[in-house]
Amino acid sequence: MENSEQIFVESSESQCGRWNPNSILGGVFSILALCFLYYVVPTHIELPYHMQHPLLSPQFLPQLAGWMVLVLSLLLMIDGLLKPPKREAADEYRRGVPVLRQVLMLVAGILYAVFFEQLGAIGSGVLATALLFLASGLRSVWVYALVIVFPVVVTLLFIHVLNVPLPAGTLWESLSLI
Amino acid sequence: MIKLMKSRVKSKIMWTLAAASLTCGGLAQADEWPTDNIRLVVPYSAGGTTDLLTRKVADLLQKELTTVVVENRPGAGSTVATGQLARGGRGSDHMLLMASPGHTIGASIYPNLRYDPVEDFTFVRNVINIPNVMVVPVVSPYNTVAEFIEGAREKELSFSSSGIGSSIHMSGELFKSMTKTNMVHVPFRGSGEALPALLSGDVDVSFENMPTVYPHIKSGKLKALAVTTAEASEFLPGVPTIREAGKGYGLEDFETSAWFGLIAHKSFPEEGIDKLQAALDKVMASEEFKNFLPQFGAEAGRVSGDEFRQFIESELQKWSAVAEDANLKR
Amino acid sequence: MENFSEVMALFLSVDNFLAIAAGVLVGVVVGAIPGLTATMAVALALPFTFSMEPVTAILLLVGIYKGGMYGGSITAILIRTPGSPASACTLLDGYPMAQQGNAKKALKTALYSSVVADMISNLALIFFASYLAKIALNFGPPEYFWLICFSLTIIVSVSGSSVIKGLIAASLGIILSTVGLDAVYGTQRLTFDNYNLMDRISFIPLLIGLFAIPEIIDFYMTRVAPHVRTAVAGASLSWKEFKGMLKTVVRGSFIGVIIGAIPGTGATTAAFISYSEAKRTSPRKDNFGKGEPEGVAAAEAGNNGVAGATLIPLLSLGIPGDVITAIILGAFMIHGLTPGPVLFQENLTLVYALFCGIMISSFVLVFVGNAAIRYFSIIADIPKTILLPIVLMFCIYGAYAVNNSTFDIGLMLAFGVLGFVFNRTGMAAAPFLIGFILGPMFEDNLRRTMLISKGDLSIFFRGPITWVFVLLTVASLAFAIRRYWVTRKEEALA
């Protein structure tokens, strides 16, 4: 994927009018920047008891960056309102994506993010890879052999060759002892 | 750090399973310690000084006992790994941690620590100590500690460190509070970044670790005013201790150093502690260890067991007071 | 002449050659594994060098360092997974090239640019070490401050289609870089009392999350496209093409050497400055970011120009410029050697033996690199349906391995979602990365300068070096603004 101008999937159906990606993005970011500057910075950046110079404040750089986001996103919004960007045709592959495909990806992501310690490197690797293969509708059996082979080989490589420890899975450890 | 997340997702069944496994694990432990490989945790990233020293010690230790696997678990000073050790759990009867000044300094400055730096641990042995050296740039007008203090009373001087909460920074803060001078702390990220500013005279003084500044003292780019340990160092003959050199300026009790020692969970098997201490004694008496120390300007650790615990307690007191003075306590 | 024979006696041993070859090979392979970096490889190899001869030990580590620098660009080009922050710049043009079926050409361009830059860097190390070290010593906080200001202006040239969006992304990167305990006062900044955030956001999860994961998310958010066979048969790089890029490569190498000689600035900055310069002077400006070989060449030259040069402050001053050289410094000390002026006085033969080995390592990189291209470019022919789940697995393992922490896995996936949103809204990830890297350096050096001068602002203009970088910053900004207006006018006319 290139970082070139791309359009929201939703808006690609409609004409690029006042509410185009630029004006929406600018609006959202300016609201976020205001929240950041007036709520997050004062409440979540502690100030020290004694400061030699205002430029030394822990809040200085976050505030500077926050103001930059605010001003720039207002500019972006105005730019979008006055001069809507040209609409680009969305990729044909983006339409009509089976919901199951996206759900399976989400589940695989959650498996890794939440259950990595419990399932262990091999366990979560096998499960998530299998789910992602299913999501693409892979049929041949030999491909699913990879699902087992790869996580096992890679985990062993990390642990024994590279000396990088990976979790074995607390779930299996406690089961095996009963 | 993982425990928090874990407890949220683990169902009650999981807890029962875990409990069952723990009891089974306890029963199975009739054999002599060690029944498993020893895991030695470095609470800092791979490649740092602590890591380097630990790996060498581990290398020597496994010749005496059993396989020692070194693991790096950096994060929030050293408090993430230390917190994990404090919580114990499976495998903690074979887990050691290489503690360093971060253990006591971290406890003095990090907010709401979830462990007690003394009560939650068993203290095995202090293995290595590295002195800090009070150094000034060669362009500095000060040649002794006394001159420096007089200078610091006339105008505001600055001291550099490898980062807030490092033993280098805290030594400077201790110096400040003992001599009642007012110096500005200029933090860098690591000694490597701090060195150029010190060499060029942008900052006035530093209480750097011996190995970092030793080559520059030898080549005449830095002047060593004093060593921060209670006894003079054999590496810098003729350089006084800060206690001697700062007599009359409130520095009579000044002592800091970068110490490294092995600690374990509080319920570590006693048999294991004895075996470890015996093995460490052998390691520290070995020629290889003795030849290794001078590369880091280091000395063999002195205290072990209860004495080590008392040392930690006194360090903790010292740094808490300094942190309080320097407004670092969160 | 007896010195020469001493040097050769020290250098010409089977062990040394084996160490260099093994080092480069390990570096390339580890660097090419998503989530594993050259830094990690060097750190993990260190204990193995305890029992080696000093020269052998250090050559092994240097070999890994150099191999890792190149290895990182292989995955950056093939699967958009930068092995190191510096190769995030290589990816800007390398990945589009691979997608267009020119993977082989991109990899070869990267390899030969790396090797040329590496040699120039080595020569600088051997012949100008003492001179460049003097520059390094004159770099105090105010000089760094202006160098960082100048580096920040490169954001404009990597912003993609919209400069405003690029600047927003950079500002967001800066905000995220301030998470953690404050460097001067130790107060909490945006940590929300979470322990995992106190040491700032880990770099590797952010890097992989921002670049590799969005590709994977995007793949599963679209229907399966038929697999296009591309790479292995793709065209290679001809000497004529490379000759056309040589000017860019040499310029990039020099940028790398200067940045590398100044400790603490790093390969990433060098790669992006080199890239930005190449884009500024290229007649094909508009093709940058869309698969321009010269972009790959510039990035890799800048990146590898640093490798030899970071050894300059290390060897001549004993000052490590980055984490890897800090580890190599440790290796020196383990073997009872102290880098710095003393090393040149007491162990000159050893220094020259090291130089020989370092030169040889560049040639070894050509062979290992070519072999690596042959085997790794097979990756480009694996259908994405099979490749991406496995890439994801590597990324997850790698992110975990950095700190042994599952928090980093969550962090990486979160940045993946952010990167995906960036892609879909036309925001570029590169400015975000630059903001994240340079933000803290900007702040640190601003604050150090203020602390040293006790609030006196005149220190910012204290010498010739500060003025040079002030002028460069202003010129770079002026150029960017002019170019912005010209393009706007062209757009308005069209």
Side-chain angles (χ1 to χ4, degrees):
Chain A
M1 173 86 19
E2 299 168 29
N3 288 328
S4 56
E5 198 82 358
Q6 263 142 24
I7 310 274
F8 281 114
V9 183
E10 304 84 53
S11 64
S12 66
E13 296 293 329
S14 61
Q15 203 65 35
C16 258
R18 289 270 172 264
W19 297 111
N20 54 57
N22 282 0
S23 58
I24 295 170
L25 201 68
V28 171
F29 271 132
S30 40
I31 293 168
L32 286 178
L34 279 173
C35 292
F36 178 75
L37 285 169
Y38 288 99
Y39 171 71
V40 179
V41 169
T43 43
H44 288 285
I45 300 187
E46 294 171 78
L47 284 177
Y49 302 89
H50 161 73
M51 226 159 36
Q52 288 94 332
H53 195 280
L55 272 180
L56 287 167
S57 163
Q59 294 185 345
F60 171 70
L61 187 66
Q63 262 170 344
L64 180 72
W67 280 105
M68 282 194 31
V69 175
L70 181 65
V71 172
L72 289 165
S73 37
L74 286 175
L75 274 178
L76 186 65
M77 192 168 76
I78 294 167
D79 194 53
L81 289 174
L82 296 181
K83 218 182 76 184
K86 287 182 209 112
R87 189 165 63 91
E88 275 175 35
D91 199 330
E92 59 169 311
Y93 292 106
R94 268 201 205 144
R95 296 200 205 116
V97 185
V99 181
L100 186 67
R101 188 169 157 81
Q102 300 175 3
V103 171
L104 282 176
M105 172 188 67
L106 199 67
V107 175
I110 291 171
L111 259 179
Y112 276 134
V114 184
F115 297 100
F116 192 67
E117 287 260 316
Q118 281 86 348
L119 294 171
I122 295 178
S124 55
V126 169
L127 276 174
T129 311
L131 285 176
L132 291 177
F133 278 180
L134 276 176
S136 301
L138 289 179
R139 293 275 161 75
S140 52
V141 180
W142 67 268
V143 167
Y144 285 91
L146 286 181
V147 164
I148 312 250
V149 171
F150 256 102
V152 172
V153 170
V154 175
T155 306
L156 294 180
L157 184 85
F158 267 62
I159 296 177
H160 296 290
V161 182
L162 298 169
N163 260 332
V164 177
L166 289 174
T170 47
L171 185 61
W172 319 125
E173 277 177 14
S174 37
L175 282 179
S176 65
L177 277 164
I178 288 179
Chain B
M1 88 197 109
I2 308 140
K3 277 278 157 65
L4 282 175
M5 264 163 67
K6 223 193 264 181
S7 60
R8 250 185 279 132
V9 290
K10 249 186 186 171
S11 67
K12 270 185 186 167
I13 303 164
M14 281 295 304
W15 279 115
T16 343
L17 288 178
S21 75
L22 275 180
T23 33
C24 292
L27 288 174
Q29 238 168 52
D31 309 339
E32 257 182 56
W33 192 95
T35 52
D36 200 353
N37 289 345
I38 296 175
R39 288 163 66 201
L40 175 45
V41 178
V42 180
Y44 295 99
S45 327
T49 311
T50 314
D51 180 63
L52 217 57
L53 298 176
T54 311
R55 283 181 193 273
K56 188 70 190 180
V57 172
D59 199 34
L60 295 173
L61 188 60
Q62 67 185 357
K63 287 179 193 154
E64 302 293 334
L65 265 176
T66 174
T67 310
V68 180
V69 184
V70 179
E71 263 176 52
N72 299 86
R73 283 180 188 259
S78 57
T79 56
V80 167
T82 316
Q84 270 176 340
L85 179 68
R87 281 192 292 276
R90 274 182 63 84
S92 65
D93 55 345
H94 284 82
M95 196 193 278
L96 297 169
L97 185 135
M98 185 60 97
S100 61
H103 184 74
T104 45
I105 295 173
S108 315
I109 64 173
Y110 276 93
N112 45 44
L113 226 52
R114 290 184 197 84
Y115 61 86
D116 185 312
V118 178
E119 296 304 320
D120 287 347
F121 302 98
T122 313
F123 295 89
V124 184
R125 199 188 202 303
N126 168 217
V127 190
I128 293 172
N129 290 325
I130 298 180
N132 291 11
V133 191
M134 181 178 176
V135 283
V136 294
V138 73
V139 292
S140 168
Y142 314 114
N143 291 310
T144 64
V145 175
E147 280 176 32
F148 183 86
I149 296 171
E150 293 295 343
R153 287 185 178 160
E154 272 164 37
K155 63 173 189 173
E156 199 176 32
L157 298 177
S158 56
F159 70 104
S160 64
S161 84
S162 61
I164 194 157
S166 59
S167 82
I168 300 162
H169 169 215
M170 296 305 272
S171 301
E173 294 290 352
L174 183 66
F175 185 86
K176 259 173 75 178
S177 87
M178 281 182 146
T179 56
K180 309 270 183 305
T181 47
N182 194 14
M183 290 195 292
V184 189
H185 172 225
V186 186
F188 288 81
R189 292 189 200 269
S191 291
E193 275 192 32
L195 255 178
L198 185 65
L199 290 171
S200 67
D202 272 339
V203 291
D204 298 303
V205 69
S206 183
F207 298 83
E208 262 288 355
N209 295 142
M210 175 80 86
T212 315
V213 288
Y214 182 70
H216 303 284
I217 296 170
K218 262 197 106 178
S219 69
K221 296 234 166 59
L222 292 173
K223 291 189 277 188
L225 299 191
V227 290
T228 61
T229 38
E231 284 156 39
S233 165
E234 54 183 297
F235 300 102
L236 295 174
V239 176
T241 66
I242 217 164
R243 290 182 173 189
E244 297 161 8
K247 253 187 197 133
Y249 292 96
L251 289 170
E252 285 78 6
D253 291 324
F254 193 99
E255 184 185 4
T256 65
S257 68
W259 53 268
F260 299 88
L262 293 176
I263 63 173
H265 186 251
K266 62 176 172 219
S267 62
F268 198 86
E270 222 159 281
E271 186 201 355
I273 299 284
D274 294 341
K275 283 195 174 169
L276 272 171
Q277 282 172 345
L280 282 170
D281 282 342
K282 270 193 207 160
V283 165
M284 290 169 66
S286 71
E287 279 303 306
E288 205 179 341
F289 184 76
K290 282 181 184 158
N291 291 335
F292 166 74
L293 289 179
Q295 328 293 9
F296 287 85
E299 293 152 9
R302 296 198 183 89
V303 287
S304 128
D306 272 342
E307 279 181 295
F308 187 24
R309 170 193 282 261
Q310 283 157 18
F311 169 73
I312 301 276
E313 277 170 351
S314 70
E315 284 276 301
L316 202 58
Q317 259 178 5
K318 177 165 76 186
W319 295 134
S320 301
V322 172
E324 197 90 26
D325 258 18
N327 275 329
L328 289 168
K329 183 81 192 166
R330 299 269 76 85
Chain C
M1 231 34 223
E2 60 190 300
N3 264 342
F4 180 77
S5 57
E6 268 177 51
V7 170
M8 283 302 132
L10 200 54
F11 171 64
L12 289 175
S13 81
V14 182
D15 284 4
N16 288 347
F17 284 94
L18 276 179
I20 296 170
V24 174
L25 184 67
V26 167
V28 170
V29 172
V30 173
I33 296 176
L36 295 188
T37 59
T39 315
M40 214 184 227
V42 174
L44 293 170
L46 181 57
F48 294 105
T49 66
F50 287 171
S51 54
M52 296 179 185
E53 288 293 310
V55 177
T56 316
I58 288 153
L59 286 179
L60 177 75
L61 298 179
V62 171
I64 296 178
Y65 181 19
K66 300 210 161 174
M69 286 280 226
Y70 174 69
S73 65
I74 296 179
T75 35
I77 289 169
L78 291 177
I79 50 177
R80 209 171 189 261
T81 311
S84 69
S87 45
C89 188
T90 311
L91 161 164
L92 295 179
D93 283 286
Y95 185 69
M97 276 180 81
Q99 292 303 294
Q100 291 152 14
N102 288 322
K104 201 172 198 173
K105 186 182 280 184
L107 288 168
K108 293 259 176 181
T109 309
L111 177 64
Y112 289 114
S113 320
S114 295
V115 170
V116 171
D118 201 37
M119 288 185 185
I120 292 179
S121 193
N122 291 339
L123 292 174
L125 166 68
I126 295 170
F127 294 107
F128 302 107
S130 59
Y131 183 72
L132 285 166
K134 272 189 198 121
I135 303 184
L137 266 192
N138 281 315
F139 250 77
E143 287 80 15
Y144 273 108
F145 174 78
W146 286 112
L147 170 64
I148 303 301
C149 284
F150 168 63
S151 308
L152 279 168
T153 62
I154 55 184
I155 289 169
V156 178
S157 56
V158 289
S159 286
S161 55
S162 161
V163 175
I164 295 184
K165 286 182 194 170
L167 290 173
I168 293 178
S171 308
L172 292 176
I174 292 176
I175 289 176
L176 278 176
S177 75
T178 61
V179 171
L181 289 188
D182 182 82
V184 171
Y185 298 107
T187 57
Q188 296 197 55
R189 286 206 285 188
L190 311 173
T191 54
F192 305 95
D193 276 329
N194 186 328
Y195 256 68
N196 296 300
L197 292 174
M198 298 235 172
D199 254 1
R200 303 154 79 191
I201 290 172
S202 322
F203 201 87
I204 299 298
L206 177 130
L207 191 66
I208 306 175
L210 216 51
F211 291 96
I213 305 293
E215 278 297 291
I216 298 169
I217 299 180
D218 196 75
F219 181 73
Y220 288 96
M221 296 297 277
T222 52
R223 279 188 294 149
V224 185
H227 176 59
V228 195
R229 287 186 73 86
T230 47
V232 183
S236 187
L237 177 75
S238 72
W239 165 242
K240 207 179 142 211
E241 282 172 301
F242 188 65
K243 219 169 82 182
M245 292 185 254
L246 210 55
K247 206 175 134 203
T248 300
V249 172
V250 172
R251 184 179 43 222
S253 313
F254 280 112
I255 292 172
V257 166
I258 293 172
I259 297 283
I262 302 166
T265 322
T268 321
T269 321
F272 276 105
I273 292 180
S274 165
Y275 180 85
S276 163
E277 271 304 297
K279 184 177 175 183
R280 194 175 66 82
T281 51
S282 166
R284 292 186 303 277
K285 279 186 191 68
D286 296 332
N287 198 31
F288 272 72
K290 293 172 189 158
E292 170 62 46
E294 213 174 325
V296 175
E300 279 300 304
N303 173 356
N304 282 273
V306 168
T310 43
L311 296 173
I312 294 173
L314 178 73
L315 288 176
S316 53
L317 301 169
I319 296 170
D322 57 17
V323 185
I324 296 188
T325 40
I327 300 171
I328 296 179
L329 175 67
F332 270 103
M333 288 165 63
I334 283 273
H335 289 102
L337 299 165
T338 33
V342 184
L343 186 73
F344 281 80
Q345 283 160 21
E346 292 175 2
N347 300 80
L348 198 64
T349 33
L350 180 130
V351 172
Y352 280 114
L354 277 181
F355 284 166
C356 292
I358 290 169
M359 280 308 287
I360 299 283
S361 69
S362 303
F363 293 99
V364 174
L365 184 58
V366 178
F367 291 105
V368 175
N370 269 316
I373 289 174
R374 190 165 316 141
Y375 293 108
F376 275 99
S377 53
I378 297 169
I379 290 174
D381 262 359
I382 301 172
K384 283 191 175 177
T385 45
I386 295 173
L387 179 66
L388 290 184
I390 292 166
V391 169
L392 178 67
M393 190 183 71
F394 267 106
C395 293
I396 299 278
Y397 291 3
Y400 177 85
V402 177
N403 287 337
N404 285 314
S405 144
T406 46
F407 181 80
D408 284 345
I409 295 180
L411 205 62
M412 180 182 77
L413 294 174
F415 278 114
V417 174
L418 183 77
F420 176 72
V421 174
F422 271 20
N423 275 357
R424 285 279 168 108
T425 53
M427 307 245 300
F432 182 90
L433 180 71
I434 295 177
F436 186 83
I437 294 176
L438 295 183
M441 293 193 193
F442 173 86
E443 187 184 40
D444 284 349
N445 286 299
L446 172 68
R447 296 166 110 190
R448 281 172 203 154
T449 310
M450 296 300 292
L451 285 169
I452 286 169
S453 74
K454 281 111 196 163
D456 179 6
L457 293 174
S458 65
I459 191 175
F460 283 107
F461 305 97
R462 70 172 177 184
I465 300 181
T466 54
W467 281 109
V468 167
F469 283 103
V470 171
L471 291 178
L472 278 175
T473 311
V474 172
S476 179
L477 277 180
F479 184 85
I481 292 168
R482 209 191 106 226
R483 177 150 172 76
Y484 184 70
W485 285 118
V486 170
T487 30
R488 290 225 34 144
K489 236 186 230 162
E490 277 167 9
E491 270 172 26
L493 286 175

